[in-house]
Amino acid sequence: MTRSPLFICLVFASFVLFGADGCSSDPNVEGAKLDLKNKDYDRALQNLETALQTDPDNVDALELKGRVIGEMILGIRDIDEHTSLLVEMLDSYDRALLLDPTLDETITQAIRIAYSNEFTMGSQAFNRGQNDDSEYATSAAFFKNAARIQPDSSGAYVNQAYAHMNGGESAAAIQPFEKALEKGDTEKDTFRFLASLYQSADRFEDAVTVLESAGKLYPDDEELQKELLNAYQLADQTDRALEMYSQAVEKDPQNKLFRYNYGTLLTMEERYDEAIEQLQAAVAVDPEYINAHYNLATAYINQAVQTNEELTAMDDAYREKLDSMSQAEKDAENEKMNALADHRRELFVLAISPLESALDLMNASDEDPKDVCAALYQSYVQTNALDKAEGVSGCAGFDD
């Protein structure tokens, strides 16, 4: 009787030690472990397939199969074979985790390592692409695999897109760029490149949508706003653009970029008085805003040209009915035409000041002032300031 408690304790201790041993009861799984240690991956997979044929829900076999393939594919550069095995690895891990959720930490760590490996191989192939363009396709495939492993990570999608673009497969870059934005990427270039690819594919409305999203994130980026304006034009959505910038200016009247873009659009729509108001406001916010000075002058000059067209039409009509007109009618018509001519000259006068400001700013920043000089030359000539016109003829390219 005194020995019974001791016997029970020994039995209990033996049970604990047996459980901690960690050996699988399946000889094929045990053989696969040894094969993995010896890096005999093919034999390991054969053993595991045998184990899974016997029991498709063998968690140990499924988890180990994932590990075997994870090591095996590091030495496989044939991208089709590599990818096929990678998919098998992920399927094995998914099935093992479904059957045994306690493996979550172990499998998550293995997945992270696999992601890192695919990303690294994609980067290496991308670098090799500088000497061999075909490597860009390989790089894109590795990054696509990385995205398969961690589909919520935007980095793999972006790099896949860049690999496609560098490899001359721009159309193939659209989908990964889209996925990157869907997964939360906020890099400015991601929006810009995708918009450009949309435009190349005649998907102009999609380009507008993407650039509008970018504009909300980067409201003060001049280059981005310029691309958005261009996208509106290509998509024939000037009305939408005018409404958007009207609201933007109302909401943020001190934003020089919104004022500038709104004024530029109004100029293109020949709504010159409204355009001048917006461009004057842009210059008031930033007196060194070269483009705003230039476009303000352009609005004046274009309005002068429009006035000149009206004057020409009036003069043609006057000549046609000259013989049938009374002297009073002739005097009235001449008075109207003289008023239009004075208005035309005044518009050219108004264009001079912003053009001179733009020229000074461009000279100070070593920018090419040719377009500004050409506009100034025209304005000086139209206002009979011939000496000043001669002074800018060189930079306007009119020396000959």
Side-chain angles (χ1 to χ4, degrees):
M1 293 294 292
T2 58
R3 295 183 181 178
S4 294
L6 179 59
F7 176 74
I8 291 172
C9 290
L10 289 173
V11 170
F12 181 75
S14 297
F15 176 78
V16 172
L17 290 173
F18 179 77
D21 180 63
C23 294
S24 170
S25 60
D26 191 314
N28 290 299
V29 173
E30 293 306 314
K33 290 179 181 178
L34 182 60
D35 295 331
L36 176 58
K37 189 177 295 185
N38 295 328
K39 301 190 182 303
D40 190 345
Y41 304 120
D42 290 333
R43 184 177 175 83
L45 289 178
Q46 289 173 4
N47 272 316
L48 292 171
E49 285 305 312
T50 301
L52 289 169
Q53 286 173 5
T54 302
D55 178 9
D57 292 338
N58 187 323
V59 174
D60 291 335
L62 289 166
E63 188 274 332
L64 184 58
K65 181 179 179 181
R67 277 193 284 146
V68 170
I69 295 177
E71 283 193 26
M72 180 181 185
I73 61 175
L74 293 177
I76 296 176
R77 290 295 182 267
D78 180 89
I79 197 61
D80 292 331
E81 182 184 358
H82 183 103
T83 300
S84 177
L85 285 166
L86 180 86
V87 171
E88 275 194 66
M89 178 194 76
L90 295 176
D91 288 344
S92 292
Y93 278 143
D94 286 344
R95 181 65 179 161
L97 189 57
L98 180 65
L99 293 168
D100 186 358
T102 65
L103 289 172
D104 180 64
E105 186 175 345
T106 299
I107 290 178
T108 296
Q109 182 61 22
I111 289 294
R112 286 173 181 159
I113 292 172
Y115 174 85
S116 177
N117 288 336
E118 295 298 311
F119 205 99
T120 298
M121 287 187 282
S123 299
Q124 292 170 343
F126 191 95
N127 291 334
R128 293 196 299 271
Q130 297 177 23
N131 299 314
D132 180 359
D133 286 346
S134 67
E135 288 289 344
Y136 286 121
T138 302
S139 173
F142 279 127
F143 284 124
K144 185 176 182 179
N145 284 342
R148 278 191 178 97
I149 296 170
Q150 290 191 4
D152 291 330
S153 175
S154 63
Y157 296 114
V158 171
N159 282 283
Q160 180 191 347
Y162 284 144
H164 283 309
M165 290 180 68
N166 278 270
E169 298 179 337
S170 295
I174 291 177
Q175 193 270 343
F177 271 139
E178 290 173 335
K179 293 294 290 185
L181 292 178
E182 179 187 320
K183 299 303 178 181
D185 187 279
T186 58
E187 285 296 319
K188 184 167 45 181
D189 282 345
T190 304
F191 290 100
R192 295 178 63 242
F193 282 128
L194 180 56
S196 177
L197 292 171
Y198 279 149
Q199 289 170 351
S200 296
D202 294 338
R203 295 172 60 180
F204 301 118
E205 292 184 4
D206 290 332
V208 167
T209 300
V210 166
L211 288 172
E212 283 181 339
S213 298
K216 292 174 183 177
L217 292 173
Y218 303 97
D220 298 323
D221 188 283
E222 188 168 345
E223 193 62 33
L224 196 57
Q225 291 290 332
K226 201 179 295 183
E227 291 178 17
L228 178 56
L229 275 179
N230 182 59
Y232 280 130
Q233 290 177 269
L234 290 173
D236 195 22
Q237 293 184 358
T238 304
D239 289 344
R240 178 176 172 181
L242 286 168
E243 178 63 24
M244 190 199 83
Y245 282 114
S246 174
Q247 293 174 359
V249 164
E250 185 176 349
K251 187 175 181 180
D252 187 5
Q254 290 302 110
N255 188 305
K256 66 177 184 179
L257 195 52
F258 291 162
R259 292 280 194 178
Y260 169 80
N261 284 341
Y262 192 25
T264 301
L265 279 169
L266 289 166
T267 301
M268 291 189 291
E269 290 296 294
E270 299 183 3
R271 293 163 57 178
Y272 297 118
D273 289 337
E274 297 171 83
I276 288 165
E277 179 185 352
Q278 296 302 322
L279 292 165
Q280 284 176 332
V283 169
V285 173
D286 181 3
E288 296 186 357
Y289 196 170
I290 296 174
N291 289 343
H293 281 291
Y294 180 74
N295 279 13
L296 174 58
T298 298
Y300 283 128
I301 291 172
N302 288 357
Q303 191 172 22
V305 171
Q306 185 183 69
T307 302
N308 186 68
E309 291 171 355
E310 294 173 14
L311 181 58
T312 300
M314 185 178 291
D315 184 61
D316 289 343
Y318 173 80
R319 293 177 185 279
E320 286 181 6
K321 58 184 180 180
L322 183 62
D323 293 338
S324 62
M325 296 174 67
S326 67
Q327 187 59 47
E329 290 173 329
K330 292 177 184 177
D331 290 343
E333 287 296 303
N334 276 305
E335 186 176 347
K336 290 179 182 177
M337 287 190 287
N338 287 335
L340 273 180
D342 289 342
H343 182 54
R344 177 188 61 190
R345 183 180 185 281
E346 180 60 26
L347 289 169
F348 278 113
V349 169
L350 290 170
I352 289 173
S353 178
L355 285 172
E356 289 176 338
S357 296
L359 180 59
D360 290 341
L361 291 166
M362 293 184 86
N363 285 333
S365 59
D366 292 327
E367 295 185 45
D368 183 1
K370 184 176 181 180
D371 291 339
V372 173
C373 289
L376 256 179
Y377 182 91
Q378 181 185 20
S379 299
Y380 284 144
V381 168
Q382 292 296 329
T383 56
N384 206 32
L386 300 183
D387 289 343
K388 289 185 176 181
E390 181 66 24
V392 297
S393 63
C395 76
F398 298 156
D399 278 344
D400 293 338

